[in-house]
Amino acid sequence: MRTLNHLFNNNHQWAARILDRDPRFFEKLSRQQAPRYVWIGCSDSRVPANDIVGLLPGELFVHRNVANLVIHTDLNCLAVLQYAVEVLRVEHVIVCGHYGCGGVRAALLNKRLGLIDNWLRHVQDVMHRHAALLEGLSDEEQRLDTLCELNVIEQVVNVAQTTVVQSAWDRGQDLEMHGWIYRVSDGLLHDLEVCAKSEAELQEHYRRACARYCLR
Ligand code: CO
């Protein structure tokens, strides 16, 4: 017996709404996908990738995990990235974090939640790298928001250091990195100004981003 019938009802209504606008939408989409962007975001249910940037099915290639991490040994994330860059030939890689991230908060407060603590060690690595800066912030929410931002910036660097992106840049493929953060409380995205189309540009923008935090 099928349960969760309301979700199937929602699905029928959703498909009908799309067909209202474009009767051949799904037929066209079934032949190919040609997204220009890959999105690496948090699994948080409040941060739905396509909705935030107003993109339809077929327009955004998505990978999500807790705290939007790009880990050099994570075959899942690397496979998504490799397929997106080399097969789909996306032009932009977007790492998007969000303020108030539960994963980042757990890492910051060194909470014991179980298996996931091991995954969140990577956020703690970011925290330790920027310990002096974070310790200088007296307000806990400000510390959390700043760590959420720093985590995105470090993950952009991680993406750029993968063999996938390094090889693409070596080949002269147009591929741009982006680091964004989303505010759940107002639905708006903010650019963390670490866009880069090359290794040199990334290093320059990373240096500038870190300097901005020191000035705060
Ligand atoms: Co999150």
Side-chain angles (χ1 to χ4, degrees):
M1 194 180 79
R2 190 168 83 189
T3 58
L4 299 179
N5 275 320
H6 59 294
L7 298 186
F8 283 87
N9 293 339
N10 287 353
N11 168 250
H12 279 250
Q13 288 165 13
W14 170 79
R17 273 198 305 276
I18 289 192
L19 289 176
D20 261 356
R21 270 180 288 166
D22 179 357
R24 295 187 55 226
F25 182 83
F26 293 110
E27 182 199 324
K28 286 185 280 182
L29 201 59
S30 66
R31 274 185 245 121
Q32 64 156 3
Q33 64 164 338
R36 294 180 56 207
Y37 322 90
V38 59
W39 174 281
I40 300 172
C42 184
S43 298
D44 193 303
S45 63
R46 300 166 298 178
V47 194
N50 281 66
D51 301 67
I52 288 173
V53 286
L55 291 177
L56 289 167
E59 296 181 322
L60 191 63
F61 202 67
V62 174
H63 176 77
R64 291 169 68 179
N65 61 43
V66 173
N68 42 269
L69 294 169
V70 178
I71 307 307
H72 295 312
T73 50
D74 179 4
L75 196 57
N76 184 351
C77 182
L78 292 177
V80 168
L81 192 64
Q82 190 256 328
Y83 187 78
V85 171
E86 294 179 12
V87 181
L88 298 173
R89 312 279 296 186
V90 298
E91 294 152 41
H92 301 273
V93 181
I94 300 159
V95 177
C96 186
H98 66 103
Y99 292 115
C101 181
V104 175
R105 188 188 297 274
L108 182 67
L109 302 179
N110 207 21
K111 279 199 185 148
R112 298 291 287 272
L113 299 173
L115 175 73
I116 193 166
D117 302 349
N118 299 281
W119 178 249
L120 295 175
R121 291 298 308 184
H122 297 293
V123 181
Q124 292 186 321
D125 289 344
V126 174
M127 182 175 82
H128 293 139
R129 190 167 308 136
H130 299 280
L133 189 162
L134 291 164
E135 281 160 16
L137 303 169
S138 51
D139 183 68
E140 191 178 301
E141 284 310 301
Q142 199 189 354
R143 223 168 17 241
L144 172 62
D145 283 355
T146 304
L147 183 54
C148 288
E149 292 178 359
L150 290 168
N151 182 50
V152 170
I153 292 168
E154 292 293 341
Q155 304 317 313
V156 172
V157 173
N158 287 353
V159 174
Q161 285 172 343
T162 60
T163 55
V164 176
V165 172
Q166 293 280 316
S167 304
W169 280 344
D170 285 349
R171 288 193 296 273
Q173 186 175 336
D174 278 337
L175 186 63
E176 188 167 19
M177 307 293 113
H178 305 266
W180 298 350
I181 194 152
Y182 175 76
R183 197 182 291 279
V184 174
S185 60
D186 65 11
L188 297 177
L189 279 173
H190 302 271
D191 187 349
L192 293 171
E193 296 179 41
V194 283
C195 294
K197 280 181 165 173
S198 68
E199 179 74 34
E201 198 178 8
L202 179 78
Q203 280 174 16
E204 169 66 14
H205 289 181
Y206 177 80
R207 207 176 45 73
R208 269 198 238 163
C210 292
R212 269 198 303 276
Y213 285 99
C214 295
L215 291 173
R216 275 187 187 176

